[in-house]
Amino acid sequence: MKRHLTVLLALLVSLLVVQAPAHAAPAASSARSARGADSAGTTAAASKQVLGQTPYMGWNTYYALGGDPTESEIRSVADFLVSSGLRDSGYQYVWIDGNWAAPTPRSAAGDLVPNPDQFPNGLKPLVDYIHSKGLKAGIYTDAGPYIPGKCGLGSHGYYQRDANQFAAWKFDAVKVDYLCGIAADLDPKTVYTEFAKALRNNSSGRPMLFNLCNPVTSPDWGNYPETQQSTYSWSYAPAIAQSWRTYTDVGFVGEIKFKDVLRNYDANARHPEAAGPGHFNDPDYLGPELGMSDEEFRTQMTLWSVAAAPLVIGSDVRKLSKTSLGILEDRDVLAVNQDSAGVQAVRVGPAGTTETWVKRLANGDRAVVLLNRGDTPATLTTTAKSVGLSGGRFTLKNAWTDQITESGGTISAAVPAHGAALLRVGRATGEPGVPHVVAGLPQVTKVGSDAVAAGVAPVAAGGDQARVEVTVRNDGTKPVYAPRVELAAPAGWTVRAAGKAPKVLTPDRSVNLAFTVTLPATAAPGNADLTATTSYEVAGKGRLRQQTTTSLVVAPAAPNGDVVLSHHDWISATSGWMSPTVDRSVGGWTPISMLGQEYPTGIGVASPSTIRYYLGDRCTRLTTTVGIDDAVRNVGPEGGTSTFQVIGDGRVLYDSGVLGRDDVRQADIDLTGVRVLDLVVGDAGDGGYNDRANWAGLNTSC
């Protein structure tokens, strides 16, 4: 019953977010009042700690500097936040994460002691320096007792003393972890409530932002009671904290992957009713250049912004490219995140590879996200009515491109693979504006005589011929004239148009223009860009142009003879954590070993994983041994279950079923006629915790 009530509440809140007028109170207010007088008193006290009605922004040492941040590094980052303009864009908090304390973290009197090797002058002068730059300072501790080997320090038993000390050092924010808390089997609601009280009652009377950071999540951490997990924090944290983590860490030091960004966003989206001005769901840090492409990071920034999430940069900002800095500083995107209504986006329509998310803004506009989780570009569409707007004309501002157009009610965008369009949509007034014309991304629909399956990233090889299509649609209220598309390919490739464009593209109509693209036999492997330039005449505006680009994967040469596939170049390879490791267990620390037998060749991965090879219809047989690596036994009794599938051109050729740590399977697979081969490892439905999977052997005859 509880689960059904939660689902019903979330549905009701989603309707409020879409349909409520601009002046309506945030849905979280009614959710909080429903928790009764007991929590209401705590909320009133916590409100004194609110240091801003919108999500806080800043930078954190953890992903950026690893385990041992130093005073000189943090000063350097503070300087860069100022000189780069990040501070003026809103990134104010400089947050010192774990491992700042001395090896013996407390003095004889019980005070916390900074590590003198990292902070030779202590923390107070560093905080003063941060403040002198117009920035704020954050610090880290744990809600549990200090347990060597489990966490860097712990405040349990010292809550008031530590709160007083942080305030005396003039910190502005405190992040409270739960590593030692879970090791000591504490109740997070109880201890976090006690810590919040200590912060509010600090002896200096200093307001300090409270980031409640319980990352414990099943099955990622093993099996824990619901009340001890991050996914339960929403039920009590809004009354005591300014933000609370909603899932496990979004990545590892130096490695944040797009799939985990999506995972954390989905978990964060479960309880939009808990968020509101001054208190926000926290899906963890932003990760530019830590494992994602620019497009994937732009998507993370889009999703975090509509989620009204704290924007805390996890990367070393001093090393970021201009592209990454531009994404972080985009004014229109930040305006959506910092909107005063404090509303969190909800999904409109079903979950899937493509989705629509909407956030109600304070002035009545809607921030609309068209999300493409898939591996191929797509034109995504919703309607003004679906996102809670009425009327006949609507202004659409693309937050990333600054393009302003007008629609008759259709909201659409061409969205790259792993991309997201962010459109600010409001009612149009005055003279009609520029029609909303969507110039589609080049889409490879056929390679040779084979159609490309929907959602599958196309693969071509030297000498192949591909059919490429570009769809142009007019969602405006006025016609556009003489639409044209020109397609550019790498040097040495040939492009031939097929068919003619119409003279007029009327509202609510689209045209599909096709091209034949031929790769030279010597086409270099890697990603090759296909760029479409779409142009059209608009009355009174002249000829307008849009440019869209899609990457086509050009495969390496197919294997020839008897080949160990792990020694052949793959097209792409993913691992649930870390990276696929050739001839070693994932991570590379040990040889591939299953049930005590070592294997000299193969690939070690963590679930979920996909490794793709180009065979070019030249191979006949694959033999392999699959199973869970013996290394799982050094980690613990939990996890270590996976599934193994061999897929040829989208067809399952082998399926192991669920394998545990005591199961090994040998497979002999017919590869006749296979052009593209995928080796897929699944998590068997229980998450990827301790799933160290092996493809041993991988002998092919080609």
Side-chain angles (χ1 to χ4, degrees):
M1 176 61 77
K2 179 180 178 182
R3 182 177 181 184
H4 293 307
L5 288 173
T6 300
V7 172
L8 178 59
L9 178 60
L11 177 60
L12 290 172
V13 170
S14 71
L15 292 173
L16 285 171
V17 170
V18 172
Q19 298 177 355
H23 61 269
S29 297
S30 59
R32 289 198 306 279
S33 64
R35 285 194 286 268
D38 190 36
S39 71
T42 310
T43 302
S47 68
K48 298 177 183 178
Q49 292 288 316
V50 174
L51 304 180
Q53 295 294 302
T54 60
Y56 58 86
M57 300 166 59
W59 170 85
N60 182 284
T61 63
Y62 176 68
Y63 289 111
L65 303 180
D68 299 304
T70 66
E71 177 180 353
S72 61
E73 289 174 318
I74 294 169
R75 282 175 175 256
S76 174
V77 169
D79 292 343
F80 185 83
L81 289 173
V82 176
S83 65
S84 65
L86 284 166
R87 180 200 62 184
D88 294 340
S89 292
Y91 296 93
Q92 290 186 310
Y93 285 88
V94 176
W95 219 306
I96 304 169
D97 211 288
N99 292 341
W100 60 265
T104 301
R106 291 192 186 273
S107 68
D111 291 328
L112 289 170
V113 178
N115 190 322
D117 293 334
Q118 299 163 241
F119 304 98
N121 300 306
L123 289 179
K124 179 62 166 58
L126 176 58
V127 173
D128 290 343
Y129 184 80
I130 291 169
H131 287 160
S132 75
K133 294 291 181 178
L135 297 162
K136 298 179 183 296
I139 193 63
Y140 167 101
T141 189
D142 193 286
Y146 174 54
I147 305 173
K150 298 290 185 180
C151 57
L153 71 157
S155 288
H156 192 256
Y158 297 88
Y159 289 168
Q160 195 62 63
R161 188 181 196 99
D162 290 354
N164 293 345
Q165 188 167 4
F166 294 149
W169 283 336
K170 296 189 177 181
F171 278 101
D172 305 289
V174 183
K175 169 182 174 178
V176 186
D177 212 332
Y178 202 60
L179 303 180
C180 279
I182 195 65
D185 197 28
L186 300 177
D187 174 60
K189 179 179 179 180
T190 299
V191 296
Y192 277 130
T193 301
E194 292 172 357
F195 204 108
K197 181 179 179 181
L199 283 179
R200 290 194 302 271
N201 296 331
N202 73 80
S203 56
S204 301
R206 185 175 184 81
M208 288 185 287
L209 185 153
F210 178 21
N211 172 226
L212 188 158
C213 184
N214 176 8
V216 175
T217 308
S218 295
D220 301 79
W221 285 57
N223 296 318
Y224 290 94
E226 179 186 7
T227 56
Q228 284 191 313
Q229 295 184 49
S230 61
T231 49
Y232 190 72
S233 297
W234 72 275
S235 67
Y236 62 88
I240 61 173
Q242 281 70 56
S243 66
W244 52 92
R245 281 281 296 279
T246 52
Y247 209 68
T248 191
D249 292 358
V250 75
F252 300 91
V253 173
E255 182 182 65
I256 294 179
K257 297 183 177 181
F258 184 64
K259 70 176 185 63
D260 294 330
V261 163
L262 293 178
R263 176 202 66 190
N264 277 34
Y265 177 77
D266 290 338
N268 192 78
R270 293 173 188 169
H271 293 287
E273 73 275 18
H279 51 91
F280 302 99
N281 287 306
D282 176 15
D284 205 9
Y285 300 146
L286 298 169
E289 300 180 35
L290 292 179
M292 290 184 284
S293 67
D294 290 341
E295 192 67 54
E296 290 169 339
F297 173 56
R298 188 178 291 107
T299 298
Q300 185 191 19
M301 189 71 181
T302 297
L303 296 176
W304 265 230
S305 292
V306 297
L311 300 181
V312 178
I313 306 167
S315 311
D316 187 340
V317 290
R318 300 168 299 177
K319 300 177 181 178
L320 292 180
S321 66
K322 290 183 178 179
T323 297
S324 294
L325 291 173
I327 293 171
L328 289 166
E329 295 177 319
D330 189 282
R331 292 182 179 181
D332 291 320
V333 177
L334 293 179
V336 169
N337 176 260
Q338 296 291 301
D339 185 76
S340 62
V343 171
Q344 180 172 320
V346 296
R347 190 178 62 244
V348 175
T353 302
T354 60
E355 295 174 344
T356 300
W357 293 79
V358 58
K359 171 186 175 77
R360 177 177 58 79
L361 302 176
N363 72 342
D365 287 355
R366 301 295 190 267
V368 178
V369 174
L370 301 174
L371 172 63
N372 182 6
R373 300 169 181 259
D375 295 330
T376 55
T379 295
L380 308 186
T381 302
T382 187
T383 65
K385 183 178 180 180
S386 295
V387 303
L389 293 172
S390 60
R393 295 166 49 214
F394 303 90
T395 297
L396 278 59
K397 182 173 184 180
N398 188 315
W400 287 114
T401 67
D402 298 331
Q403 182 186 44
I404 299 175
T405 54
E406 185 172 299
S407 166
T410 300
I411 301 168
S412 56
V415 186
H418 298 186
L422 176 57
L423 301 167
R424 184 168 185 139
V425 184
R427 296 179 184 88
T429 59
E431 294 295 322
V434 175
H436 184 67
V437 174
V438 180
L441 289 131
Q443 192 109 22
V444 179
T445 60
K446 185 181 289 187
V447 177
S449 59
D450 298 327
V452 175
V456 176
V459 175
D464 279 345
Q465 192 174 81
R467 179 180 174 86
V468 179
E469 298 178 2
V470 179
T471 301
V472 183
R473 55 182 294 152
N474 181 5
D475 294 332
T477 57
K478 301 191 301 183
V480 298
Y481 303 94
R484 272 203 312 265
V485 175
E486 298 174 353
L487 185 68
W493 297 34
T494 60
V495 177
R496 180 169 53 86
K500 294 183 178 180
K503 294 182 179 180
V504 180
L505 190 58
T506 56
D508 297 322
R509 300 296 296 270
S510 64
V511 61
N512 189 45
L513 301 174
F515 302 84
T516 299
V517 177
T518 304
L519 284 69
T522 56
N527 290 328
D529 286 345
L530 301 174
T531 299
T533 301
T534 301
S535 62
Y536 45 90
E537 296 280 350
V538 175
K541 300 293 182 180
R543 193 158 193 88
L544 304 182
R545 287 174 172 77
Q546 296 184 47
Q547 197 170 80
T548 55
T549 300
T550 296
S551 290
L552 173 63
V553 175
V554 181
N560 184 30
D562 292 331
V563 175
V564 176
L565 209 53
S566 62
H567 296 170
H568 186 73
D569 290 339
W570 54 50
I571 295 172
S572 60
T574 65
S575 180
W577 35 271
M578 297 189 183
S579 301
T581 309
V582 173
D583 298 343
R584 307 282 288 182
S585 173
V586 64
W589 296 297
T590 59
I592 291 173
S593 174
M594 295 178 284
L595 299 183
Q597 180 178 344
E598 291 189 4
Y599 297 80
T601 62
I603 303 175
V605 299
S607 73
S609 165
T610 299
I611 301 174
R612 171 167 286 189
Y613 287 99
Y614 177 70
L615 303 185
D617 192 14
R618 296 182 60 175
C619 301
T620 57
R621 185 185 184 197
L622 168 68
T623 59
T624 185
T625 302
V626 297
I628 304 300
D629 196 89
D630 289 336
V632 300
R633 304 173 197 277
N634 300 324
V635 177
E638 296 176 317
T641 55
S642 296
T643 59
F644 297 77
Q645 287 187 321
V646 178
I647 299 175
D649 298 326
R651 182 168 57 93
V652 177
L653 307 178
Y654 170 78
D655 190 330
S656 69
V658 177
L659 300 186
R661 61 184 65 199
D662 296 319
D663 300 314
V664 171
R665 296 281 190 277
Q666 294 181 340
D668 192 331
I669 301 156
D670 184 2
L671 298 180
T672 302
V674 173
R675 186 171 174 273
V676 178
L677 182 74
D678 289 319
L679 306 178
V680 180
V681 175
D683 65 8
D686 61 357
Y689 179 75
N690 209 13
D691 286 358
R692 301 163 187 263
N694 293 326
W695 296 95
L698 289 176
N699 298 303
T700 57
S701 298
C702 303

